[in-house]
Amino acid sequence: MQSTRPKIPMSPLWPSLPQPPVVGAERGQTWRIPSEARCVALWDRFDMPEHIRAHSRKVAQVACQVAEAGLKMGLPVCVDTVRASALLHDLAKIYCIRHGGNHSQLGGAWAMALTGNPLLAQGVIHHVYWPFEVDLRRFFTPLTVLYGDKRVAHDQIVPIEQRFGDLVERYGKTPEIRERIHSTNRQAKDIEDAFGRLLEKDLNAHDFNRGRLVD
Ligand SMILES: [Fe+2]
């Protein structure tokens, strides 16, 4: 008897997407980097709602300006990787809102499976909290994505304090949750200060809307 079950694609994580990835080099290796159009196709594939797309575009705007400033300082950073990582950092958000789970961990796993680029995936998996030493020379790319996320509340670029004030108000229901939010806030400020020292710029004073961080 013939089965009436729908055919399951061999690899559901590999949709046919427009535009082949560009190639970039960082950390002495060459990785494939999805173009912006490819990232948008992945948003479509994973059903990303418009407000998360708008948020992700702003995070990419901040992260890319920080990356360009790093490049100008002679750091070996690939701006295309930073852009793709920032655009994909919330790829698993809507799935986890609907079904539960940790959106950065799941998103990082998806990003690795979809792109084969571990540096890009590192930016996704650690965009909420950085569990290692804040060593910008070693971890410039993932920390730009984390920093970009900490400067965007919904789809607005704001100072870190404003974003965390909003988080405490919305999610700070217990002392434990409030303490977790405060500790993430302190780490975000430390990372901002470290970027400021390295790039010789006051990042807190920059709104990332009027032109570029690089003069
Ligand atoms: Fe985000």
Side-chain angles (χ1 to χ4, degrees):
M1 203 173 85
Q2 199 143 22
S3 168
T4 52
R5 288 170 65 187
K7 268 193 184 158
I8 298 168
M10 282 294 286
S11 173
L13 284 178
W14 281 105
S16 57
L17 296 170
Q19 297 195 6
V22 295
V23 172
E26 198 175 323
R27 295 184 177 175
Q29 297 196 53
T30 304
W31 305 112
R32 287 148 64 92
I33 307 160
S35 65
E36 204 167 328
R38 202 169 167 85
C39 292
V40 170
L42 289 171
W43 291 352
D44 293 342
R45 166 70 179 82
F46 289 93
D47 206 16
M48 188 183 281
E50 191 45 53
H51 69 281
I52 301 179
R53 297 176 188 227
H55 165 81
S56 302
R57 283 196 192 93
K58 289 287 182 180
V59 172
Q61 186 177 325
V62 174
C64 285
Q65 288 187 38
V66 174
E68 282 164 7
L71 203 57
K72 203 172 178 205
M73 297 290 284
L75 295 166
V77 57
C78 172
V79 178
D80 288 333
T81 301
V82 168
R83 180 180 300 105
S85 187
L87 288 174
L88 297 179
H89 82 279
D90 272 344
L91 190 62
K93 188 80 174 253
I94 194 65
Y95 182 92
C96 290
I97 288 171
R98 287 174 183 159
H99 306 293
N102 183 308
H103 81 284
S104 59
Q105 289 183 9
L106 185 59
W110 283 357
M112 188 64 206
L114 289 159
T115 69
N117 184 327
L119 188 56
L120 183 159
Q122 197 177 43
V124 176
I125 204 163
H126 295 304
H127 80 264
V128 175
Y129 188 80
W130 186 250
F132 312 108
E133 187 191 351
V134 178
D135 180 346
L136 287 179
R137 290 189 180 273
R138 191 167 173 211
F139 300 116
F140 195 89
T141 293
L143 286 168
T144 57
V145 177
L146 181 148
Y147 179 68
D149 191 49
K150 300 296 170 273
R151 287 296 305 266
V152 179
H154 308 289
D155 60 353
Q156 299 295 315
I157 299 171
V158 297
I160 285 174
E161 296 78 2
Q162 192 175 322
R163 179 176 180 276
F164 278 94
D166 178 56
L167 289 178
V168 171
E169 215 168 273
R170 282 161 58 213
Y171 301 113
K173 305 224 178 338
T174 67
E176 291 75 27
I177 295 173
R178 282 196 292 280
E179 177 43 37
R180 209 177 323 136
I181 294 173
H182 284 305
S183 113
T184 310
N185 180 33
R186 282 192 294 274
Q187 186 191 60
K189 288 302 290 176
D190 289 346
I191 291 169
E192 180 170 74
D193 291 345
F195 269 125
R197 286 191 299 276
L198 181 67
L199 303 175
E200 297 168 6
K201 295 189 187 295
D202 182 359
L203 267 65
N204 182 51
H206 198 83
D207 69 7
F208 294 92
N209 278 317
R210 280 167 297 176
R212 297 140 70 94
L213 188 59
V214 180
D215 306 315

